[in-house]
Amino acid sequence: MGNVANAGIWFVIQRHSLVNEKTLLDYDDSYNMRWIDNLTREEAIHAVLRLGESESNLLENNNYISVYDHTIYDIAIITEELLNASTDLPTPTHDKLPSSWKGMGISKTKDTVNHYYRDFQEAEIAFLAENGFNFTRIFFNFVSLGYPDFPEDMTMINEQELRELDQLIAWGMKHGVHIQLSSCNAFDGSASFDISDEEWELFRAYWEAIAVRYAGIPTCYLTFDLANEIQPSPENVTSAVNHLQDVVNSVRNADPNRVLLLSFNDNPWEEWVEGVADLGLSLAYHPYYPEYIMKGEQNYYAPGDTPWPYPYFPKRLQTTDTLTVSGDIGGKELRLDFWVYDPFQVTFDNGETIKVTVEGDYIHEDSCGPRFYEPYTIEIPEGVSSLVLQPLQNEVTFDEIGIVSDTESRWLIPHEDINGSSSLIYEEGKEWSSEKNYTAEMLYSNRIEPIQKVAEEHNVGFMINEMGSYAAGIGWDVSVKLQYDSELIEILEAKDISWCMCEMDCMSEPYWEVFDEWENTTVENYVYTSEDGHRHIIQYSVELLEMYRQFITK
Protein backbone atom coordinates (compact mmCIF):
# COMPACT_ATOMS: atom_id res chain seq x y z
CA MET A 1 0.00 0.00 0.00
CA GLY A 2 2.89 2.33 0.77
CA ASN A 3 4.29 2.04 -2.75
CA VAL A 4 0.86 2.75 -4.24
CA ALA A 5 0.42 5.81 -2.04
CA ASN A 6 3.90 7.06 -2.89
CA ALA A 7 3.23 6.57 -6.59
CA GLY A 8 0.00 8.53 -6.29
CA ILE A 9 1.63 11.38 -4.37
CA TRP A 10 4.50 11.50 -6.85
CA PHE A 11 2.06 11.59 -9.76
CA VAL A 12 0.18 14.56 -8.28
CA ILE A 13 3.34 16.49 -7.40
CA GLN A 14 4.86 16.08 -10.84
CA ARG A 15 1.84 17.11 -12.91
CA HIS A 16 0.67 20.60 -13.67
CA SER A 17 -1.67 22.30 -16.12
CA LEU A 18 0.00 23.33 -19.37
CA VAL A 19 -2.48 26.20 -19.54
CA ASN A 20 -1.94 27.97 -16.20
CA GLU A 21 1.08 26.02 -14.82
CA LYS A 22 -0.80 25.13 -11.62
CA THR A 23 -0.38 21.76 -9.89
CA LEU A 24 -3.36 19.41 -9.65
CA LEU A 25 -3.78 20.32 -6.00
CA ASP A 26 -2.99 23.75 -4.59
CA TYR A 27 -0.31 24.22 -1.97
CA ASP A 28 -1.18 26.10 1.21
CA ASP A 29 0.98 28.86 2.70
CA SER A 30 3.37 26.31 4.21
CA TYR A 31 3.82 24.55 0.84
CA ASN A 32 1.69 21.59 1.91
CA MET A 33 -0.83 19.82 -0.34
CA ARG A 34 -2.85 18.60 2.68
CA TRP A 35 -2.89 14.97 1.56
CA ILE A 36 -5.20 13.69 4.30
CA ASP A 37 -7.75 16.52 4.09
CA ASN A 38 -11.03 16.17 2.21
CA LEU A 39 -11.24 18.12 -1.04
CA THR A 40 -13.85 20.77 -1.52
CA ARG A 41 -16.05 20.50 -4.61
CA GLU A 42 -14.14 23.40 -6.17
CA GLU A 43 -10.75 21.78 -5.46
CA ALA A 44 -11.88 18.48 -6.97
CA ILE A 45 -13.14 20.20 -10.14
CA HIS A 46 -9.88 22.16 -10.48
CA ALA A 47 -7.84 18.96 -10.04
CA VAL A 48 -9.74 17.14 -12.81
CA LEU A 49 -9.51 20.11 -15.18
CA ARG A 50 -5.78 20.55 -14.57
CA LEU A 51 -5.22 16.83 -15.09
CA GLY A 52 -6.91 17.13 -18.47
CA GLU A 53 -4.76 20.15 -19.27
CA SER A 54 -1.56 18.45 -18.11
CA GLU A 55 -0.99 16.69 -21.42
CA SER A 56 -2.71 16.67 -24.75
CA ASN A 57 -2.53 12.88 -24.89
CA LEU A 58 -5.19 12.49 -22.21
CA LEU A 59 -7.79 14.12 -24.42
CA GLU A 60 -6.73 12.79 -27.81
CA ASN A 61 -7.89 9.68 -29.60
CA ASN A 62 -5.35 6.92 -29.16
CA ASN A 63 -4.72 4.20 -31.71
CA TYR A 64 -3.18 0.93 -30.59
CA ILE A 65 -1.19 -1.21 -33.00
CA SER A 66 0.93 -4.34 -32.67
CA VAL A 67 4.61 -3.84 -31.94
CA TYR A 68 5.17 -6.15 -34.90
CA ASP A 69 3.38 -3.71 -37.23
CA HIS A 70 6.40 -1.60 -38.02
CA THR A 71 6.03 2.11 -38.68
CA ILE A 72 8.22 5.03 -39.70
CA TYR A 73 8.50 8.38 -37.98
CA ASP A 74 5.97 11.11 -38.62
CA ILE A 75 7.46 13.28 -41.39
CA ALA A 76 5.38 16.21 -40.18
CA ILE A 77 7.38 16.10 -36.94
CA ILE A 78 10.84 14.97 -38.07
CA THR A 79 10.83 17.08 -41.19
CA GLU A 80 13.10 17.18 -44.22
CA GLU A 81 14.13 20.64 -43.08
CA LEU A 82 15.43 19.25 -39.78
CA LEU A 83 17.14 16.32 -41.51
CA ASN A 84 18.87 18.56 -44.04
CA ALA A 85 19.91 21.29 -41.59
CA SER A 86 23.59 21.69 -40.77
CA THR A 87 24.69 20.61 -37.30
CA ASP A 88 27.78 20.82 -35.10
CA LEU A 89 26.93 17.56 -33.33
CA PRO A 90 29.73 14.98 -33.54
CA THR A 91 29.09 11.61 -35.17
CA PRO A 92 29.53 8.44 -33.09
CA THR A 93 30.70 5.20 -34.68
CA HIS A 94 30.60 1.60 -33.52
CA ASP A 95 34.21 1.80 -32.38
CA LYS A 96 34.39 5.38 -31.09
CA LEU A 97 32.03 7.58 -29.10
CA PRO A 98 32.65 11.34 -29.27
CA SER A 99 34.70 12.68 -26.37
CA SER A 100 32.97 16.03 -26.92
CA TRP A 101 29.60 14.75 -25.68
CA LYS A 102 28.72 16.59 -22.46
CA GLY A 103 25.27 16.11 -21.11
CA MET A 104 22.63 15.47 -18.48
CA GLY A 105 20.11 12.67 -18.27
CA ILE A 106 16.36 13.26 -18.19
CA SER A 107 14.17 10.99 -16.08
CA LYS A 108 10.77 11.00 -14.38
CA THR A 109 9.03 11.07 -17.73
CA LYS A 110 8.10 7.72 -19.28
CA ASP A 111 10.53 5.63 -17.33
CA THR A 112 8.81 3.33 -14.83
CA VAL A 113 6.31 0.51 -14.75
CA ASN A 114 4.59 2.30 -11.86
CA HIS A 115 3.15 4.55 -14.59
CA TYR A 116 4.80 7.73 -13.39
CA TYR A 117 3.99 9.60 -16.55
CA ARG A 118 5.01 12.98 -17.86
CA ASP A 119 5.31 14.22 -21.41
CA PHE A 120 8.74 14.98 -22.78
CA GLN A 121 9.35 18.71 -22.43
CA GLU A 122 11.02 20.85 -25.07
CA ALA A 123 11.99 23.21 -22.25
CA GLU A 124 14.45 20.66 -20.87
CA ILE A 125 16.14 20.16 -24.24
CA ALA A 126 16.27 23.93 -24.77
CA PHE A 127 17.68 24.47 -21.27
CA LEU A 128 20.51 22.03 -21.96
CA ALA A 129 21.28 23.53 -25.37
CA GLU A 130 21.26 27.14 -24.15
CA ASN A 131 23.78 26.21 -21.45
CA GLY A 132 26.14 24.45 -23.85
CA PHE A 133 25.21 20.79 -23.31
CA ASN A 134 25.01 18.75 -26.52
CA PHE A 135 23.86 15.40 -25.15
CA THR A 136 21.03 13.95 -23.10
CA ARG A 137 20.20 10.42 -22.08
CA ILE A 138 16.50 9.65 -21.82
CA PHE A 139 15.42 7.13 -19.18
CA PHE A 140 12.72 5.29 -21.09
CA ASN A 141 10.53 2.30 -20.37
CA PHE A 142 8.89 0.36 -23.18
CA VAL A 143 5.84 -0.14 -20.98
CA SER A 144 5.06 3.56 -21.40
CA LEU A 145 4.26 2.91 -25.06
CA GLY A 146 1.02 1.37 -23.80
CA TYR A 147 -0.12 4.62 -22.16
CA PRO A 148 -2.83 5.52 -21.22
CA ASP A 149 -4.78 2.21 -21.39
CA PHE A 150 -1.83 -0.14 -20.76
CA PRO A 151 -3.40 -3.15 -22.52
CA GLU A 152 -2.86 -6.56 -20.94
CA ASP A 153 -1.48 -7.66 -24.30
CA MET A 154 1.94 -6.04 -24.10
CA THR A 155 2.48 -6.37 -27.82
CA MET A 156 -0.02 -3.52 -28.27
CA ILE A 157 1.44 0.00 -28.33
CA ASN A 158 -0.03 3.46 -28.80
CA GLU A 159 0.90 5.29 -32.01
CA GLN A 160 0.53 8.59 -30.17
CA GLU A 161 3.35 7.56 -27.82
CA LEU A 162 5.55 6.83 -30.84
CA ARG A 163 4.80 10.30 -32.17
CA GLU A 164 5.91 11.73 -28.83
CA LEU A 165 9.23 9.96 -29.31
CA ASP A 166 9.37 11.53 -32.77
CA GLN A 167 8.84 14.92 -31.17
CA LEU A 168 11.60 14.34 -28.62
CA ILE A 169 14.08 13.47 -31.38
CA ALA A 170 12.93 16.46 -33.43
CA TRP A 171 13.56 18.78 -30.47
CA GLY A 172 17.05 17.32 -30.13
CA MET A 173 17.71 18.00 -33.82
CA LYS A 174 16.28 21.52 -33.55
CA HIS A 175 18.33 22.49 -30.49
CA GLY A 176 21.51 20.57 -31.29
CA VAL A 177 21.28 18.00 -28.48
CA HIS A 178 22.04 14.33 -29.15
CA ILE A 179 19.31 11.99 -27.86
CA GLN A 180 20.39 8.69 -26.33
CA LEU A 181 17.34 6.53 -25.74
CA SER A 182 17.93 4.20 -22.79
CA SER A 183 15.75 1.23 -21.83
CA CYS A 184 15.78 1.57 -18.06
CA ASN A 185 13.93 -1.55 -16.85
CA ALA A 186 13.08 -5.08 -17.83
CA PHE A 187 9.38 -5.67 -18.52
CA ASP A 188 8.76 -6.75 -14.94
CA GLY A 189 10.20 -3.48 -13.66
CA SER A 190 13.37 -5.09 -12.35
CA ALA A 191 17.01 -4.56 -13.21
CA SER A 192 17.50 -8.23 -14.02
CA PHE A 193 17.85 -10.11 -17.29
CA ASP A 194 16.78 -13.32 -15.56
CA ILE A 195 13.64 -13.22 -17.65
CA SER A 196 11.64 -15.72 -19.68
CA ASP A 197 12.06 -16.41 -23.38
CA GLU A 198 8.73 -14.66 -23.94
CA GLU A 199 9.97 -11.50 -22.20
CA TRP A 200 13.20 -11.59 -24.20
CA GLU A 201 11.12 -11.76 -27.37
CA LEU A 202 9.13 -8.70 -26.26
CA PHE A 203 12.39 -6.89 -25.53
CA ARG A 204 13.70 -7.78 -28.99
CA ALA A 205 10.46 -6.83 -30.72
CA TYR A 206 10.26 -3.43 -29.08
CA TRP A 207 13.84 -2.53 -29.96
CA GLU A 208 13.30 -3.76 -33.52
CA ALA A 209 10.20 -1.57 -33.83
CA ILE A 210 12.13 1.47 -32.58
CA ALA A 211 15.06 0.70 -34.89
CA VAL A 212 12.81 0.36 -37.95
CA ARG A 213 10.95 3.56 -37.12
CA TYR A 214 14.12 5.65 -36.90
CA ALA A 215 16.24 3.94 -39.53
CA GLY A 216 18.02 6.59 -41.51
CA ILE A 217 18.02 9.26 -38.79
CA PRO A 218 21.67 10.38 -38.76
CA THR A 219 23.70 8.86 -35.93
CA CYS A 220 24.82 12.30 -34.78
CA TYR A 221 21.26 12.79 -33.49
CA LEU A 222 20.37 9.40 -32.02
CA THR A 223 21.91 6.40 -30.27
CA PHE A 224 20.31 3.44 -28.47
CA ASP A 225 21.32 2.35 -24.98
CA LEU A 226 19.80 -1.12 -25.08
CA ALA A 227 19.71 -1.63 -21.32
CA ASN A 228 20.36 0.60 -18.34
CA GLU A 229 22.03 -1.36 -15.53
CA ILE A 230 20.10 -4.53 -16.37
CA GLN A 231 22.20 -7.63 -15.97
CA PRO A 232 21.63 -11.37 -15.48
CA SER A 233 22.68 -13.38 -12.47
CA PRO A 234 26.12 -15.02 -12.93
CA GLU A 235 24.66 -18.41 -13.86
CA ASN A 236 22.54 -16.84 -16.61
CA VAL A 237 25.20 -14.73 -18.34
CA THR A 238 25.66 -17.06 -21.31
CA SER A 239 21.93 -17.31 -21.92
CA ALA A 240 21.49 -13.54 -21.61
CA VAL A 241 24.30 -12.85 -24.07
CA ASN A 242 22.71 -15.23 -26.58
CA HIS A 243 19.34 -13.51 -26.22
CA LEU A 244 20.97 -10.10 -26.46
CA GLN A 245 22.65 -11.21 -29.69
CA ASP A 246 19.16 -11.69 -31.16
CA VAL A 247 18.23 -8.14 -30.10
CA VAL A 248 21.40 -6.71 -31.65
CA ASN A 249 20.89 -8.64 -34.88
CA SER A 250 17.32 -7.35 -35.21
CA VAL A 251 18.33 -3.73 -34.61
CA ARG A 252 21.30 -3.87 -36.98
CA ASN A 253 19.28 -5.59 -39.69
CA ALA A 254 16.87 -2.68 -39.49
CA ASP A 255 19.52 0.03 -39.20
CA PRO A 256 23.16 -1.08 -39.62
CA ASN A 257 24.58 2.35 -38.79
CA ARG A 258 22.77 2.90 -35.50
CA VAL A 259 25.33 2.96 -32.68
CA LEU A 260 24.31 0.71 -29.80
CA LEU A 261 25.45 0.76 -26.20
CA LEU A 262 24.73 -1.09 -22.99
CA SER A 263 25.11 0.59 -19.60
CA PHE A 264 26.59 -1.09 -16.54
CA ASN A 265 25.98 -0.36 -12.90
CA ASP A 266 28.81 0.47 -10.55
CA ASN A 267 29.75 -3.19 -9.95
CA PRO A 268 28.94 -5.36 -13.01
CA TRP A 269 29.81 -9.01 -13.53
CA GLU A 270 33.07 -9.27 -15.51
CA GLU A 271 31.66 -12.08 -17.68
CA TRP A 272 28.65 -9.90 -18.56
CA VAL A 273 30.86 -6.97 -19.57
CA GLU A 274 33.01 -9.22 -21.75
CA GLY A 275 29.99 -10.88 -23.30
CA VAL A 276 28.39 -7.54 -24.21
CA ALA A 277 31.63 -6.25 -25.71
CA ASP A 278 31.92 -9.45 -27.77
CA LEU A 279 28.63 -8.47 -29.42
CA GLY A 280 30.19 -5.25 -30.69
CA LEU A 281 28.23 -2.98 -28.36
CA SER A 282 29.80 0.17 -26.97
CA LEU A 283 30.18 0.11 -23.21
CA ALA A 284 28.86 2.74 -20.79
CA TYR A 285 29.64 2.80 -17.09
CA HIS A 286 28.13 4.45 -14.00
CA PRO A 287 30.84 5.16 -11.37
CA TYR A 288 28.78 5.68 -8.20
CA TYR A 289 31.52 5.83 -5.58
CA PRO A 290 31.88 6.67 -2.74
CA GLU A 291 28.50 5.07 -2.26
CA TYR A 292 27.33 7.31 0.58
CA ILE A 293 28.07 10.61 -1.16
CA MET A 294 26.64 9.25 -4.40
CA LYS A 295 23.38 7.74 -3.21
CA GLY A 296 22.83 8.87 0.38
CA GLU A 297 21.48 5.48 1.42
CA GLN A 298 18.99 5.78 4.25
CA ASN A 299 19.56 2.55 6.18
CA TYR A 300 22.02 4.00 8.67
CA TYR A 301 21.75 4.64 12.38
CA ALA A 302 23.19 8.13 12.02
CA PRO A 303 24.17 10.43 9.13
CA GLY A 304 27.81 10.22 8.15
CA ASP A 305 30.38 12.85 7.27
CA THR A 306 30.59 13.82 3.59
CA PRO A 307 34.07 15.28 3.11
CA TRP A 308 35.79 15.20 -0.26
CA PRO A 309 38.29 13.72 -0.91
CA TYR A 310 36.63 10.93 1.06
CA PRO A 311 38.54 9.05 3.78
CA TYR A 312 39.74 5.67 2.56
CA PHE A 313 37.47 3.25 4.41
CA PRO A 314 36.73 -0.09 2.65
CA LYS A 315 33.60 -1.91 3.73
CA ARG A 316 35.18 -5.31 4.33
CA LEU A 317 37.93 -6.22 6.78
CA GLN A 318 39.64 -9.59 6.23
CA THR A 319 41.72 -11.38 8.86
CA THR A 320 44.86 -9.97 7.22
CA ASP A 321 43.46 -6.42 7.32
CA THR A 322 43.29 -3.90 10.13
CA LEU A 323 41.21 -0.83 10.91
CA THR A 324 43.16 1.81 12.80
CA VAL A 325 41.37 4.70 14.49
CA SER A 326 43.50 7.46 15.99
CA GLY A 327 43.09 10.96 17.35
CA ASP A 328 40.97 12.46 20.13
CA ILE A 329 39.36 9.15 21.07
CA GLY A 330 40.33 8.58 24.73
CA GLY A 331 37.36 8.28 27.07
CA LYS A 332 34.86 8.09 24.22
CA GLU A 333 32.81 5.27 22.71
CA LEU A 334 33.56 3.45 19.48
CA ARG A 335 30.21 2.51 17.89
CA LEU A 336 30.20 -0.23 15.26
CA ASP A 337 27.34 -0.90 12.85
CA PHE A 338 28.56 -4.06 11.22
CA TRP A 339 27.90 -7.62 10.15
CA VAL A 340 30.02 -10.15 12.05
CA TYR A 341 29.92 -13.86 12.88
CA ASP A 342 33.16 -14.47 14.70
CA PRO A 343 35.38 -12.83 17.33
CA PHE A 344 37.67 -9.90 16.64
CA GLN A 345 40.18 -8.09 18.79
CA VAL A 346 40.79 -4.44 19.59
CA THR A 347 44.27 -3.36 20.65
CA PHE A 348 44.73 0.05 22.32
CA ASP A 349 47.99 1.97 22.29
CA ASN A 350 48.22 1.65 26.10
CA GLY A 351 48.96 -2.06 25.59
CA GLU A 352 45.51 -3.28 26.51
CA THR A 353 43.87 -5.81 24.18
CA ILE A 354 40.29 -6.98 24.31
CA LYS A 355 38.70 -9.88 22.49
CA VAL A 356 35.15 -9.20 21.41
CA THR A 357 32.63 -12.00 20.90
CA VAL A 358 29.38 -10.51 19.68
CA GLU A 359 26.12 -12.01 20.83
CA GLY A 360 22.57 -10.74 20.85
CA ASP A 361 19.42 -10.26 18.83
CA TYR A 362 19.82 -9.84 15.09
CA ILE A 363 17.87 -7.33 13.04
CA HIS A 364 17.96 -9.36 9.83
CA GLU A 365 17.65 -12.99 10.87
CA ASP A 366 17.53 -14.52 7.38
CA SER A 367 19.98 -12.21 5.61
CA CYS A 368 23.56 -12.84 4.59
CA GLY A 369 24.87 -11.93 8.04
CA PRO A 370 23.85 -10.76 11.51
CA ARG A 371 23.33 -7.07 12.18
CA PHE A 372 22.25 -5.66 15.52
CA TYR A 373 19.32 -3.49 16.51
CA GLU A 374 21.77 -0.86 17.77
CA PRO A 375 25.45 -0.24 17.00
CA TYR A 376 27.85 -2.29 19.11
CA THR A 377 29.67 -0.15 21.68
CA ILE A 378 33.30 -0.44 22.78
CA GLU A 379 34.47 1.81 25.63
CA ILE A 380 37.80 3.44 24.80
CA PRO A 381 40.02 3.92 27.91
CA GLU A 382 41.08 7.41 28.97
CA GLY A 383 44.42 8.49 27.55
CA VAL A 384 44.21 6.25 24.49
CA SER A 385 44.98 7.99 21.18
CA SER A 386 44.98 4.97 18.86
CA LEU A 387 43.28 1.60 18.50
CA VAL A 388 43.54 -1.25 16.00
CA LEU A 389 40.63 -3.57 15.17
CA GLN A 390 41.35 -6.93 13.49
CA PRO A 391 39.13 -9.96 12.76
CA LEU A 392 40.35 -13.23 14.29
CA GLN A 393 38.59 -15.83 12.12
CA ASN A 394 36.37 -14.35 9.40
CA GLU A 395 35.78 -10.95 7.85
CA VAL A 396 33.96 -8.05 9.43
CA THR A 397 31.67 -6.01 7.14
CA PHE A 398 31.01 -2.42 8.20
CA ASP A 399 27.95 -0.34 7.44
CA GLU A 400 29.25 2.59 9.49
CA ILE A 401 31.39 3.44 12.49
CA GLY A 402 31.08 6.29 14.95
CA ILE A 403 32.87 8.01 17.80
CA VAL A 404 30.41 9.16 20.44
CA SER A 405 30.99 11.39 23.45
CA ASP A 406 28.97 13.70 25.66
CA THR A 407 29.62 16.56 23.24
CA GLU A 408 29.24 15.03 19.78
CA SER A 409 28.44 11.96 17.72
CA ARG A 410 30.38 11.63 14.47
CA TRP A 411 29.94 8.83 11.96
CA LEU A 412 31.62 7.60 8.77
CA ILE A 413 30.28 5.31 6.02
CA PRO A 414 32.60 3.03 3.98
CA HIS A 415 33.33 4.31 0.49
CA GLU A 416 32.58 1.02 -1.27
CA ASP A 417 32.14 -2.71 -0.88
CA ILE A 418 35.76 -3.87 -1.10
CA ASN A 419 38.24 -5.20 1.43
CA GLY A 420 41.44 -3.66 2.73
CA SER A 421 43.13 -2.00 5.68
CA SER A 422 42.41 1.61 6.54
CA SER A 423 43.64 4.22 9.00
CA LEU A 424 41.05 6.77 10.09
CA ILE A 425 41.64 9.96 12.06
CA TYR A 426 39.09 11.48 14.44
CA GLU A 427 39.42 15.05 15.65
CA GLU A 428 36.69 16.46 17.84
CA GLY A 429 34.69 19.13 16.06
CA LYS A 430 36.04 18.18 12.64
CA GLU A 431 35.10 15.74 9.89
CA TRP A 432 36.66 12.29 9.74
CA SER A 433 39.91 12.14 7.79
CA SER A 434 42.40 9.49 6.75
CA GLU A 435 46.06 9.00 5.98
CA LYS A 436 44.89 7.85 2.55
CA ASN A 437 41.99 9.46 0.70
CA TYR A 438 39.61 8.11 -1.92
CA THR A 439 40.01 10.53 -4.83
CA ALA A 440 38.66 10.92 -8.35
CA GLU A 441 41.95 9.53 -9.69
CA MET A 442 41.51 6.43 -7.52
CA LEU A 443 37.92 6.08 -8.76
CA TYR A 444 39.13 6.18 -12.34
CA SER A 445 41.91 3.65 -11.76
CA ASN A 446 39.86 1.21 -9.67
CA ARG A 447 36.48 1.33 -11.40
CA ILE A 448 36.39 3.20 -14.71
CA GLU A 449 39.63 2.17 -16.37
CA PRO A 450 39.00 -1.61 -16.22
CA ILE A 451 35.74 -1.21 -18.20
CA GLN A 452 37.43 1.22 -20.58
CA LYS A 453 40.18 -1.33 -21.26
CA VAL A 454 37.60 -4.01 -22.13
CA ALA A 455 36.11 -1.60 -24.66
CA GLU A 456 39.52 -0.89 -26.17
CA GLU A 457 40.36 -4.61 -26.39
CA HIS A 458 37.12 -5.26 -28.30
CA ASN A 459 37.41 -2.13 -30.46
CA VAL A 460 34.10 -0.66 -29.26
CA GLY A 461 33.21 2.75 -27.89
CA PHE A 462 33.18 3.79 -24.25
CA MET A 463 31.59 6.59 -22.26
CA ILE A 464 30.33 7.58 -18.82
CA ASN A 465 26.66 8.16 -19.55
CA GLU A 466 25.55 8.42 -15.93
CA MET A 467 27.44 9.84 -12.96
CA GLY A 468 27.13 12.18 -10.03
CA SER A 469 25.46 12.34 -6.65
CA TYR A 470 21.76 11.87 -6.02
CA ALA A 471 21.84 13.31 -2.47
CA ALA A 472 18.63 11.33 -1.95
CA GLY A 473 16.82 14.19 -0.26
CA ILE A 474 19.35 14.26 2.59
CA GLY A 475 20.67 17.63 1.50
CA TRP A 476 24.46 17.50 1.20
CA ASP A 477 26.06 20.89 1.09
CA VAL A 478 26.44 21.97 -2.53
CA SER A 479 30.19 22.41 -1.99
CA VAL A 480 30.60 18.63 -1.66
CA LYS A 481 28.94 18.00 -5.02
CA LEU A 482 30.83 20.85 -6.66
CA GLN A 483 34.16 19.48 -5.54
CA TYR A 484 33.37 15.85 -6.33
CA ASP A 485 31.80 16.43 -9.76
CA SER A 486 34.48 18.87 -10.90
CA GLU A 487 37.36 16.56 -9.95
CA LEU A 488 35.79 13.57 -11.69
CA ILE A 489 34.98 15.56 -14.82
CA GLU A 490 38.60 16.80 -14.91
CA ILE A 491 39.78 13.18 -14.96
CA LEU A 492 37.31 12.23 -17.71
CA GLU A 493 38.26 15.23 -19.81
CA ALA A 494 41.95 14.35 -19.48
CA LYS A 495 41.17 10.79 -20.62
CA ASP A 496 38.99 11.97 -23.57
CA ILE A 497 35.91 10.27 -22.14
CA SER A 498 32.46 11.72 -22.82
CA TRP A 499 30.22 12.25 -19.80
CA CYS A 500 26.61 12.73 -18.84
CA MET A 501 25.43 13.70 -15.37
CA CYS A 502 23.05 11.17 -13.88
CA GLU A 503 19.81 13.10 -14.01
CA MET A 504 18.89 16.67 -14.74
CA ASP A 505 16.68 16.76 -11.65
CA CYS A 506 19.74 16.22 -9.44
CA MET A 507 20.68 19.77 -10.42
CA SER A 508 17.35 21.24 -11.36
CA GLU A 509 13.62 20.67 -11.03
CA PRO A 510 11.39 21.26 -14.06
CA TYR A 511 8.35 21.30 -11.80
CA TRP A 512 6.84 23.62 -9.21
CA GLU A 513 8.63 22.09 -6.26
CA VAL A 514 10.72 23.22 -3.35
CA PHE A 515 14.36 22.79 -4.32
CA ASP A 516 15.81 20.58 -1.58
CA GLU A 517 18.60 18.49 -3.13
CA TRP A 518 21.56 20.66 -2.12
CA GLU A 519 22.08 22.83 0.92
CA ASN A 520 23.40 26.38 0.55
CA THR A 521 22.77 26.57 -3.17
CA THR A 522 21.39 29.52 -5.10
CA VAL A 523 18.20 28.71 -6.98
CA GLU A 524 17.14 30.56 -10.11
CA ASN A 525 14.42 29.99 -12.71
CA TYR A 526 14.77 29.28 -16.39
CA VAL A 527 11.60 30.18 -18.30
CA TYR A 528 10.84 28.71 -21.71
CA THR A 529 7.76 29.39 -23.83
CA SER A 530 7.13 26.74 -26.46
CA GLU A 531 5.72 27.41 -29.91
CA ASP A 532 2.21 26.51 -28.77
CA GLY A 533 2.39 29.18 -26.08
CA HIS A 534 2.89 26.95 -23.07
CA ARG A 535 5.20 28.43 -20.45
CA HIS A 536 7.63 26.11 -18.64
CA ILE A 537 9.77 26.93 -15.62
CA ILE A 538 12.88 25.01 -14.60
CA GLN A 539 14.53 25.69 -11.25
CA TYR A 540 18.27 25.13 -11.22
CA SER A 541 21.32 25.45 -8.99
CA VAL A 542 23.39 28.43 -10.08
CA GLU A 543 26.60 27.07 -8.54
CA LEU A 544 26.31 23.67 -10.21
CA LEU A 545 25.43 25.06 -13.61
CA GLU A 546 28.34 27.51 -13.51
CA MET A 547 30.72 24.69 -12.62
CA TYR A 548 29.52 22.44 -15.47
CA ARG A 549 29.71 25.31 -17.94
CA GLN A 550 33.42 25.76 -17.14
CA PHE A 551 34.03 22.37 -18.76
CA ILE A 552 31.56 22.90 -21.60
CA THR A 553 32.96 26.23 -22.75
CA LYS A 554 36.65 25.26 -22.70
Side-chain angles (χ1 to χ4, degrees), residues 91-103:
T91 299
T93 60
H94 295 304
D95 60 353
K96 180 67 176 178
L97 301 181
S99 61
S100 56
W101 274 346
K102 305 175 197 299

Side-chain angles (χ1 to χ4, degrees), residues 355-498:
K355 179 180 178 181
V356 179
T357 301
V358 180
E359 297 177 345
D361 295 326
Y362 300 137
I363 194 169
H364 300 298
E365 296 179 351
D366 56 356
S367 66
C368 58
R371 182 187 181 205
F372 291 86
Y373 283 102
E374 296 181 356
Y376 190 83
T377 300
I378 296 175
E379 301 288 344
I380 304 174
E382 293 284 353
V384 166
S385 61
S386 178
L387 63 84
V388 177
L389 186 152
Q390 185 171 20
L392 295 177
Q393 296 178 21
N394 288 302
E395 73 171 26
V396 173
T397 302
F398 294 100
D399 276 344
E400 58 182 330
I401 68 168
I403 295 291
V404 178
S405 67
D406 293 337
T407 57
E408 75 170 7
S409 173
R410 190 163 293 283
W411 296 79
L412 185 68
I413 316 298
H415 60 76
E416 60 182 306
D417 191 6
I418 59 175
N419 65 278
S421 297
S422 57
S423 181
L424 303 175
I425 301 170
Y426 169 84
E427 295 181 80
E428 190 163 352
K430 298 182 179 180
E431 293 179 324
W432 282 92
S433 59
S434 175
E435 293 179 356
K436 176 183 180 181
N437 285 323
Y438 193 87
T439 63
E441 183 65 50
M442 187 178 296
L443 173 58
Y444 171 76
S445 300
N446 292 351
R447 294 293 183 174
I448 299 174
E449 190 175 26
I451 308 294
Q452 183 184 18
K453 285 184 176 179
V454 174
E456 292 172 350
E457 291 167 0
H458 290 77
N459 197 34
V460 297
F462 176 76
M463 76 175 298
I464 302 296
N465 66 355
E466 189 177 329
M467 57 176 273
S469 174
Y470 289 104
I474 294 176
W476 301 151
D477 192 275
V478 71
S479 63
V480 176
K481 183 169 177 63
L482 285 168
Q483 191 174 9
Y484 172 86
D485 283 0
S486 62
E487 289 189 15
L488 181 53
I489 291 173
E490 284 179 1
I491 295 291
L492 299 179
E493 295 272 306
K495 305 295 183 181
D496 288 330
I497 298 174
S498 51

Side-chain angles (χ1 to χ4, degrees), residues 39-46:
L39 294 179
T40 66
R41 183 172 182 272
E42 181 180 4
E43 287 173 330
I45 292 172
H46 281 164

